[in-house]
Amino acid sequence: MKNGWKVAIGSAGISLALMAGPITISASDSNENVHVNLNGIEVNSNANQIIDDIVFTDVKAYTTLLSESYQWDPDQKTVTVRGKNIEAVVKDDVVLASVQELANATGAEKVIWDEDNLTTNVLDLPEGAVQITPSVPGMGEHWANPNNMPVGPIYGVNNGKLIFIEQMLKQEDFASGKSFENIPGMQGLPSLSVDHTDIEFQPNGHEGLEDAHYDLHNYFVSHEEHQNIGKQFLQMEEIKQELKKYNTVRSAEAAGYVKLTDFVPQMGYHYMNPNAVGTDMPNTLLYAPVNGRLTLVAAEWGTPDPEAKSPIDDTSFGLVHKASAHYTDGTELEIADPNDAPRTNPETGASFEEWHPALYGMHLWFIDNPDGPFADMNSALESTMLTYDDFKANQNWSDDMLWAIQQGLIKGYVNQKNPNTGQTGNWLNPNENLTEAQMLSVLFSYTNPAELLTTEADDFWASVPYQLATKYEVQNTGTASAPVTRGDFAQALATLHFGKQVSLDKAVSFMYQSDLSNGYADDDGNYPKTFASFGVDNTLKRNQIATFLKRYDDFVKNAQK
C-alpha cells in the first residue's frame, strides 16, 4: 500500500486529493510535459510522469538536488530515503517514486499541484521552519524557525515556490557597528540564485519586530513576479468592498438592480442592473439566505461581448447565460431572438419583462466556496438554507414575513431558545412585540438601506437608526427598549413618505388610502376604517411590520407604473 497525491483529470482540469492504493502501470499513463520543482528548481528528468493519477518523479534526480542518498531494492521494488521505504516503479530504466512520498520522507513542508502548468511544486525548508504569516501581497507566505527570530532567516513562499530569504536587522545594531556573521540560509537545501535584493527601512517596526529596523529581502524571482503575488486577492477585495453597499436586496433595488430569477439552487436569487453591463464591476448580484437573512453571497459579470476581458488577473470570461426572455414571476425561456419572445410565458402565464442576449462573464463568491471563488455554483449554499420551526404557510402574514426576510428587513432567530416554549431551534417569533430601536432599524433598512450601512456608528447597536430618525424628523422617544404602537409606525412611515412630519390622524388616513391596512373589524365583521378601528395604541408586532412594508412596497411600485 502507498500514499500519494492523486491527480483527478477531467473536464474541470486537475486537482489534488490524498489517496491510498497499489501502483499499477496502465495504458492511460501520461508523461506529457509533467514537471516537478523543488524550492523552485526543476527536477531535471524526462521521466517525470503521472501514473495511475499520481505524480511520479525520477528518484535519482530528486535526491541529487537534496544531496541525499537512496537505496534501491529491485526485488521489493522499493527505494529507501532517510530510512523510509517507498514503493517504486521502473520505467525506461529509470526508478520512479511518488513525489508526495519522497517529500514526506525528507520532511518537506508543502506539495502543491499547478494544474495549468502540469507542475508539482515541493517546498523543502531547513528543519524547524514553520509558517508564521498568511500570504502577504507582493511577498507571499512567511516561514521561519522561531528560534532564529527576529534576525531570521525568514523564507518567502508562494504556491509552494521559494520566493525570497529575509533578514531583519535593528537600526540600533547598525548604528552601534554590530556585525552579523554566518546568518543561516538554506543550509544545503536547493534554491535558485538571487535575482535582486530589496532593503526596506521600517521606522516603526511591524509585527515580528516592533523596533525600528531594516528588512533585507533577497529575491529569487524578478521584481515584477513578486509584485504580482496576491494581486488577484487585492483585486477581489477591492470589488467586494465596492459592492458592500448592496449587502441587502433593498439597497440593490434602490440602485437600479431588478430581480432576474427566483432562487437558483447553489446560486441564489439573481438581481441585475441593466445599466451596468461592462467588465469593470459585476452587473449581477446573487443573494441567498445566510443565518436567516438574505445576504449578498456573490456577484457575476455579464456582457454580450465574447471577447471581453476579466478585470481580475489570471481569470477569463466564459458563457454564463444563454440569450433568454425573463418574466415577472422570475421564470425565463431560452430565446435567441427577442422578436420570438412570447408576451406571456406559456408555462406560467407570467408577463414578459425583459430579454437579454447571450452573456459572457464569471462569478466572484463573497462566501467560502469549496470549488473556488470563481466557480459557477456553490454547494456550500445548501448549508445556509434555513427552515423556521414556527413558520406556518397558511397564515395571513406568511408570505409577507418571508418577503421581509428575503429583503433583509427582518432576521430570524437562529439556534436560539424560544422564550415561550423553551425549545432551541430557528424561530420567526411573528407575534413578538417590537421595540422602538427595532422598528427604526427595520424601517430604515427599507427606506434608506445604503445610508444605514454607510453612516458611522458608535458603540450602541441602534445608533445609526436613531441618527437617521433625527435627520429625517421621524418621531421617537429616544428610548431603544420602549415598546412601539401601530400608531407610532404609521406616523413614522407617513413622515418618511411625505418628507415632513405628519399628524397621527393624517398618518392613519394614509395607511387606509394607500391600502396598507384595513384596521380591525367591528363586531359585525366589517372594517369601518376609522381612526379608532386602526388600533393606534396597540403594540406593533413583527408580522404586522412585515405586512405593512410589503403592502407599502407594492403601493410604491404600482404608483411608479
Side-chain angles (χ1 to χ4, degrees):
M1 300 294 290
K2 66 181 296 302
N3 293 317
W5 282 102
K6 182 174 181 181
V7 182
I9 305 178
S11 60
I14 304 177
S15 60
L16 292 176
L18 194 63
M19 61 84 67
I23 292 298
T24 58
I25 300 177
S26 66
S28 64
D29 299 338
S30 170
N31 61 358
E32 180 183 357
N33 299 319
V34 177
H35 302 279
V36 177
N37 289 337
L38 181 57
N39 292 343
I41 298 179
E42 183 163 9
V43 177
N44 192 13
S45 174
N46 293 326
N48 299 329
Q49 58 192 275
I50 298 171
I51 302 175
D52 279 357
D53 297 341
I54 297 173
V55 181
F56 276 67
T57 191
D58 182 330
V59 175
K60 181 179 180 180
Y62 187 95
T63 54
T64 297
L65 262 183
L66 288 168
S67 300
E68 291 278 354
S69 61
Y70 73 96
Q71 292 77 44
W72 160 241
D73 185 336
D75 296 326
Q76 298 296 321
K77 285 189 169 53
T78 61
V79 292
T80 303
V81 178
R82 292 192 184 179
K84 295 184 179 181
N85 294 328
I86 303 171
E87 287 191 31
V89 297
V90 178
K91 200 165 187 183
D92 297 331
D93 297 326
V94 178
V95 178
L96 304 173
S98 157
V99 173
Q100 181 65 58
E101 291 206 11
L102 287 170
N104 291 343
T106 61
E109 282 71 25
K110 277 192 173 187
V111 178
I112 293 181
W113 175 252
D114 178 352
E115 64 180 79
D116 293 331
N117 298 302
L118 289 180
T119 298
T120 298
N121 289 317
V122 181
L123 177 69
D124 202 334
L125 298 175
E127 187 175 353
V130 295
Q131 186 173 345
I132 59 175
T133 78
S135 183
V136 176
M139 303 171 83
E141 302 164 1
H142 288 57
W143 293 66
N145 185 330
N147 295 328
N148 293 332
M149 297 297 285
V151 174
I154 300 168
Y155 307 99
V157 176
N158 184 52
N159 292 329
K161 181 179 178 182
L162 187 64
I163 302 298
F164 65 79
I165 292 181
E166 174 190 3
Q167 293 86 29
M168 298 190 296
L169 306 178
K170 292 183 180 180
Q171 181 187 25
E172 63 182 39
D173 290 336
F174 271 128
S176 65
K178 181 176 179 178
S179 298
F180 297 86
E181 296 181 354
N182 199 26
I183 298 176
M186 287 300 290
Q187 300 169 358
L189 292 171
S191 65
L192 295 166
S193 59
V194 173
D195 178 89
H196 68 282
T197 299
D198 290 348
I199 302 176
E200 300 170 89
F201 179 52
Q202 305 289 346
N204 301 311
H206 54 63
E207 185 176 357
L209 183 55
E210 304 293 338
D211 299 326
H213 68 275
Y214 290 89
D215 288 338
L216 284 72
H217 290 90
N218 301 294
Y219 283 99
F220 303 118
V221 299
S222 69
H223 184 73
E224 180 182 10
E225 181 175 341
H226 77 76
Q227 285 296 314
N228 283 328
I229 294 174
K231 187 175 180 181
Q232 185 185 83
F233 172 81
L234 293 177
Q235 292 168 332
M236 292 165 55
E237 287 303 303
E238 183 178 352
I239 292 170
K240 291 179 182 180
Q241 287 298 317
E242 177 65 23
L243 295 179
K244 277 181 65 177
K245 57 191 175 186
Y246 305 131
N247 195 45
T248 66
V249 169
R250 287 295 311 150
S251 57
E253 288 181 328
Y257 286 84
V258 295
K259 188 177 181 181
L260 191 63
T261 72
D262 278 334
F263 187 84
V264 178
Q266 298 190 14
M267 296 181 81
Y269 301 92
H270 291 62
Y271 284 76
M272 186 178 75
N273 188 338
N275 298 318
V277 175
T279 60
D280 290 339
M281 295 295 291
N283 57 309
T284 300
L285 306 176
L286 279 64
Y287 293 86
V290 177
N291 293 329
R293 187 168 190 170
L294 203 65
T295 303
L296 178 64
V297 295
E300 179 183 344
W301 284 266
T303 170
D305 180 6
E307 303 299 322
K309 304 298 183 183
S310 167
I312 299 179
D313 286 2
D314 300 323
T315 63
S316 58
F317 285 175
L319 179 65
V320 292
H321 208 299
K322 294 181 179 179
S324 300
H326 290 261
Y327 294 85
T328 53
D329 62 351
T331 58
E332 63 180 288
L333 299 173
E334 290 185 10
I335 304 291
D337 189 333
N339 296 318
D340 296 334
R343 295 299 93 184
T344 59
N345 187 327
E347 299 175 2
T348 68
S351 300
F352 173 81
E353 189 167 39
E354 66 175 350
W355 175 92
H356 65 73
L359 299 175
Y360 300 84
M362 69 178 187
H363 290 80
L364 173 61
W365 288 93
F366 296 180
I367 62 173
D368 290 340
N369 187 340
D371 297 318
F374 308 115
D376 288 338
M377 314 293 278
N378 189 341
S379 58
L381 277 183
E382 294 177 349
S383 63
T384 69
M385 301 301 293
L386 288 174
T387 57
Y388 295 96
D389 300 283
D390 56 350
F391 176 77
K392 297 178 181 179
N394 59 351
Q395 301 297 302
N396 59 5
W397 50 262
S398 302
D399 291 342
D400 298 333
M401 183 68 86
L402 288 182
W403 170 84
I405 291 173
Q406 291 174 355
Q407 297 292 312
L409 307 180
I410 291 178
K411 184 177 181 180
Y413 298 94
V414 179
N415 196 29
Q416 294 189 27
K417 185 175 290 187
N418 187 302
N420 298 319
T421 66
Q423 293 179 313
T424 299
N426 301 330
W427 313 101
L428 289 175
N429 290 350
N431 292 311
E432 181 180 67
N433 295 334
L434 286 178
T435 65
E436 183 176 88
Q438 291 171 336
M439 182 199 74
L440 292 174
S441 179
V442 173
L443 185 56
F444 286 117
S445 291
Y446 177 85
T447 61
N448 301 75
E451 202 169 0
L452 193 67
L453 288 173
T454 56
T455 302
E456 187 174 351
D458 58 26
D459 294 335
F460 176 44
W461 73 269
S463 65
V464 172
Y466 274 103
Q467 289 180 55
L468 297 183
T470 299
K471 177 178 179 180
Y472 294 104
E473 299 183 342
V474 174
Q475 300 90 329
N476 64 88
T477 67
T479 303
S481 59
V484 286
T485 65
R486 289 162 56 94
D488 293 332
F489 174 80
Q491 205 166 6
L493 181 62
T495 294
L496 290 171
H497 178 80
F498 292 109
K500 62 180 181 179
Q501 287 191 351
V502 299
S503 67
L504 185 55
D505 284 344
K506 289 185 178 180
V508 171
S509 297
F510 168 71
M511 298 292 285
Y512 288 143
Q513 293 168 2
S514 306
D515 290 328
L516 307 188
S517 175
N518 290 322
Y520 290 97
D522 59 22
D523 293 339
D524 297 324
N526 300 316
Y527 292 89
K529 293 187 177 182
T530 64
F531 180 83
S533 69
F534 182 78
V536 293
D537 293 325
N538 292 355
T539 54
L540 180 70
K541 301 183 183 300
R542 282 163 62 86
N543 59 10
Q544 292 174 345
I545 196 172
T547 296
F548 286 151
L549 287 177
K550 177 61 171 70
R551 292 177 180 176
Y552 179 73
D553 187 72
D554 293 339
F555 165 73
V556 171
K557 288 179 179 177
N558 289 333
Q560 292 173 345
K561 290 181 179 179

